[in-house]
Amino acid sequence: MLAYEDMTWENYVLICDAIVTIDQSRLEDELTEQPVNYSHWSGLLAKAKGELDIANLELTQFIARTTKEIQEDSLRSGKKKTAKDLDSLVESHPEYAKYVQRVSSINQKYLMIKGLVSALDQRMSSLVQLCSAKKAEMKLYN
């Protein structure tokens, strides 16, 4: 969870290097440990997706609520706003940037973790190929 909470670019690079490295002298162990690592990062990916969905919903709700408030205020004053006017007013609202930044931050974390899960997929393919090559080499010498 610490890696999840502190998913910076620097930490991403360190984690990526750590999880994709294959010690060929421990191929059997590497194959055994792979599903645990994959499930761990897949779980974190699901957590990030859930947070991203919530942040997007909160942004959508803020836009709807603020648009409605602006529309009601303009109707009371007798000045109807166009859709473009409403969008501009909502997007210039000080809180709008906070919601967008939160979505952006969580999306970046989600994409980084998605990249780690993809790297683990590729790692598994490499492990399978390395094990097959090792078995073929052992047959050759036996």
Side-chain angles (χ1 to χ4, degrees):
M1 285 306 289
L2 182 60
Y4 177 81
E5 297 302 328
D6 195 25
M7 184 57 71
T8 61
W9 174 251
E10 293 79 17
N11 289 345
Y12 171 81
V13 171
L14 292 172
I15 292 167
C16 192
D17 289 346
I19 68 172
V20 299
T21 301
I22 296 173
D23 181 352
Q24 292 193 32
S25 67
R26 301 181 51 243
L27 282 180
E28 295 296 323
D29 292 334
E30 296 276 3
L31 267 172
T32 304
E33 295 164 3
Q34 176 72 16
V36 173
N37 289 332
Y38 189 89
S39 63
H40 170 78
W41 288 102
S42 293
L44 289 178
L45 180 62
K47 179 175 175 46
K49 177 68 168 116
E51 280 190 21
L52 181 59
D53 290 346
I54 289 169
N56 276 315
L57 175 62
E58 289 170 348
L59 173 60
T60 301
Q61 288 175 332
F62 169 79
I63 291 169
R65 188 173 51 250
T66 307
T67 301
K68 183 177 179 186
E69 289 169 6
I70 293 168
Q71 266 182 327
E72 288 173 351
D73 287 346
S74 67
L75 290 175
R76 276 193 292 272
S77 68
K79 300 176 184 175
K80 188 174 179 184
K81 304 282 187 203
T82 66
K84 192 171 184 175
D85 290 337
L86 290 170
D87 289 345
S88 294
L89 289 167
V90 169
E91 290 170 3
S92 65
H93 194 285
E95 285 187 58
Y96 178 80
K98 293 175 188 174
Y99 283 98
V100 171
Q101 287 171 347
R102 178 167 156 68
V103 168
S104 178
S105 175
I106 294 170
N107 189 52
Q108 181 180 4
K109 183 186 294 190
Y110 169 77
L111 292 173
M112 286 179 171
I113 295 171
K114 188 175 180 182
L116 292 172
V117 171
S118 293
L120 285 168
D121 280 332
Q122 293 174 356
R123 184 180 192 273
M124 184 64 187
S125 296
S126 295
L127 282 169
V128 169
Q129 289 176 349
L130 287 169
C131 282
S132 294
K134 185 176 180 181
K135 287 177 183 178
E137 185 179 323
M138 290 175 72
K139 284 183 182 178
L140 191 66
Y141 290 112
N142 287 335

